[in-house]
């Protein structure tokens, strides 16, 4: 289902919120990459659960309130959950000192992250196209 018509004044605000959520995902991914590279990363910076990261917090609260009826929005959930499932594996591998395996899993994480970002960009495009 396409997004409903959005008031032009509200459109700027909604795009800003989506872009902040997208930026928080990119920061989270950078922390995950840092962890594999040997940087000490607190779990609060790169939470394992998909509902605990900044993007997930936005997605399951304000995002759902704003866009919950949109199929495009709902399509974001699967890649986001998958991303965190892969990260849980990466986190465990790093914890066990298996850096090579963690690095290989990181490639999977980055691929799913790209899919997630593409889905978010589709949502952005839909909002931009609504008049």
């Amino acid at each position: 289902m396409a997004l409903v018509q959005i008031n032009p004044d509200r459109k700027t605000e909604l795009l800003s919120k989506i872009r902040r959520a997208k930026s928080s995902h990119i920061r989270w991914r950078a922390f995950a990459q840092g962890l594999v590279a040997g940087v000490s990363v607190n779990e609060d910076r790169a939470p394992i659960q998909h509902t605990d990261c900044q993007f997930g917090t936005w997605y399951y609260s304000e995002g759902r309130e704003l866009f919950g009826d949109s199929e495009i929005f709902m399509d974001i959930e699967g890649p986001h959950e998958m991303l965190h499932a892969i990260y849980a594996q990466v986190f465990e591998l790093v914890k066990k000192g298996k850096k090579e395996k963690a690095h290989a899993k990181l490639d999977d994480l980055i691929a799913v992250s790209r899919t997630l970002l593409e889905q978010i960009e589709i949502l952005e495009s839909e909002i931009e196209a609504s008049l």
Side-chain angles (χ1 to χ4, degrees):
M1 171 194 317
L3 295 174
V4 295
Q5 301 293 32
I6 298 172
N7 177 315
D9 295 332
R10 183 100 166 106
K11 185 190 300 191
T12 302
E13 175 191 352
L14 294 174
L15 286 170
S16 176
K17 289 179 184 213
I18 289 171
R19 289 175 181 145
R20 279 195 305 269
K22 185 166 77 171
S23 292
S24 72
H25 164 70
I26 293 168
R27 278 191 308 277
W28 176 89
R29 186 180 71 190
F31 284 123
Q33 289 172 295
L35 180 71
V36 173
V39 176
S40 177
V41 175
N42 291 336
E43 190 176 333
D44 62 332
R45 291 287 193 178
I48 295 172
Q49 294 300 315
H50 69 282
T51 54
D52 294 343
C53 68
Q54 277 187 307
F55 178 81
T57 301
W58 172 83
Y59 183 86
Y60 290 105
S61 60
E62 186 177 21
R64 182 154 283 159
E65 288 174 27
L66 295 169
F67 309 111
D69 293 334
S70 164
E71 188 175 327
I72 296 163
F73 178 80
M74 298 307 288
D75 287 346
I76 292 171
E77 187 170 28
H80 185 237
E81 287 180 2
M82 184 183 304
L83 183 79
H84 280 270
I86 294 168
Y87 178 65
Q89 295 171 6
V90 168
F91 188 85
E92 283 301 311
L93 289 167
V94 169
K95 203 163 99 174
K96 293 177 180 176
K98 298 180 178 180
K99 295 272 184 168
E100 269 187 49
K101 288 184 179 184
H103 201 317
K105 275 286 178 196
L106 186 63
D107 291 340
D108 296 339
L109 184 141
I110 290 169
V112 174
S113 174
R114 285 186 186 124
T115 299
L116 176 64
L117 291 171
E118 288 169 5
Q119 292 297 117
I120 295 169
E121 287 167 7
I122 291 170
L123 180 61
E124 282 180 280
S125 296
E126 284 292 313
I127 292 169
E128 288 172 344
S130 68
L131 298 173

